[in-house]
Amino acid sequence: MSSLEGKVAVVTGGNSGIGYASAQALKAHGATVVISGRNSDRVNQAASELGLTGVVADVSDLNAIDHLVEEVKAKHGQIDILFVNAGIFSPAPIGQVTEEMFDHQMGINFKGAVFTIEKFLPIIKDGGSIINLSSINAYTGMPNTAIYAASKAAMNSYTRTASTELAPRGIRVNAVNPGPVSTPIFGKTGMSEEQLNGFAQAIQARVPLKRFGTPEDIAKLVVFLASDDASYITGGEYNIDGGTNVNPLLVG
Ligand code: NAD
């Protein structure tokens, strides 16, 4: 894998799960990394564990994104890699979706992602790499995920358009679609321990490779897409899901 030496990377939601593992892997490959997140204690703790800079910025607050960009610009000038990872998973059945739930889910997963890119764009170097963390839920009909799935499907559509519009600047834009990955995200849904265990078992049974992914599995793909080894890849989407998206009716 090409070194990321000399490159500056920003990872939103870098204090936990996939973002944390990706920040660690980007740094291990030589990049200077800045992480953001919305909880100051968690951001500061992760930043000190990883030995990098952390900035508190809620992506659903456009002023907070402005502040993040200003901090990064003041310290690094420009960036090479933007990993748009911050997101939440708020399952709700159709018929019980409130306007507040809709705005919260879309406000972070889609609007937050779009304005992260809008606001970083002026300081992304020509030839840079934007990686959007989507989900295979963008393609599945998993019950209770209508709004979450739509937020990710919107991201994939946005990624395709952004890749053609930003191609003249040599900026590559790709989406990563994980399947189930062991991170704290599910514990934040309000489900009980028992519900979470049942949910995890039911999901795992549907994964042909019979396991949840690890944040490190996803981080390896993120590092590749960030690197010059992926210099001819833009507008792509990469399922990384143990085969889940092929939706087998029978799994041996
Ligand atoms: P996680 O809960 O461990 O991490 C989510 C991160 O996003 C945290 O750092 C959190 O602080 C940050 N975040 C959430 N809301 C934010 C906000 N308003 N402003 C700034 N930061 C915010 O979960 P994860 O599983 O690592 O999730 C990362 C991404 O991966 C999400 O976009 C999620 O939708 C996506 N994803 C996860 C899975 C999975 O199975 N874990 C599968 C597919 C996609």
Side-chain angles (χ1 to χ4, degrees), residues 12-20 36-39 42-43 57-61 84-89 104 108-109 133-137 148 152 176-186 188 212 215:
T12 65
N15 63 276
S16 176
I18 294 167
Y20 183 99
S36 71
R38 62 183 161 173
N39 178 296
R42 293 203 197 113
V43 170
D58 183 332
V59 298
S60 63
D61 173 356
V84 184
N85 162 77
I88 55 164
F89 176 67
H104 188 54
I108 294 172
N109 287 16
L133 212 284
S134 182
S135 168
I136 58 160
N137 279 108
Y148 174 77
K152 296 301 191 180
V176 169
N177 302 335
V181 181
S182 298
T183 73
I185 201 168
F186 303 109
K188 299 173 185 172
F212 269 56

Side-chain angles (χ1 to χ4, degrees), residues 90-102:
S90 300
I94 292 172
Q96 291 176 36
V97 176
T98 64
E99 184 180 10
E100 192 190 357
M101 285 176 191
F102 179 94

Side-chain angles (χ1 to χ4, degrees), residues 67 119 154 174 179 192 234:
H67 168 71
K119 289 172 178 297
N174 290 292
S192 69
T234 196

Side-chain angles (χ1 to χ4, degrees), residues 81-169:
I81 299 156
L82 178 61
F83 182 29
V84 184
N85 162 77
I88 55 164
F89 176 67
S90 300
I94 292 172
Q96 291 176 36
V97 176
T98 64
E99 184 180 10
E100 192 190 357
M101 285 176 191
F102 179 94
D103 288 345
H104 188 54
Q105 181 78 84
M106 288 302 237
I108 294 172
N109 287 16
F110 185 50
K111 185 178 172 192
V114 166
F115 285 95
T116 297
I117 294 170
E118 280 290 327
K119 289 172 178 297
F120 268 105
L121 206 48
I123 66 159
I124 298 178
K125 277 189 198 152
D126 289 359
S129 172
I130 299 172
I131 300 147
N132 293 324
L133 212 284
S134 182
S135 168
I136 58 160
N137 279 108
Y139 293 99
T140 60
M142 183 175 153
N144 301 330
T145 68
I147 310 307
Y148 174 77
S151 74
K152 296 301 191 180
M155 258 335 274
N156 290 1
S157 172
Y158 174 90
T159 298
R160 291 190 285 274
T161 309
S163 70
T164 61
E165 287 196 28
L166 300 181
R169 285 185 54 194

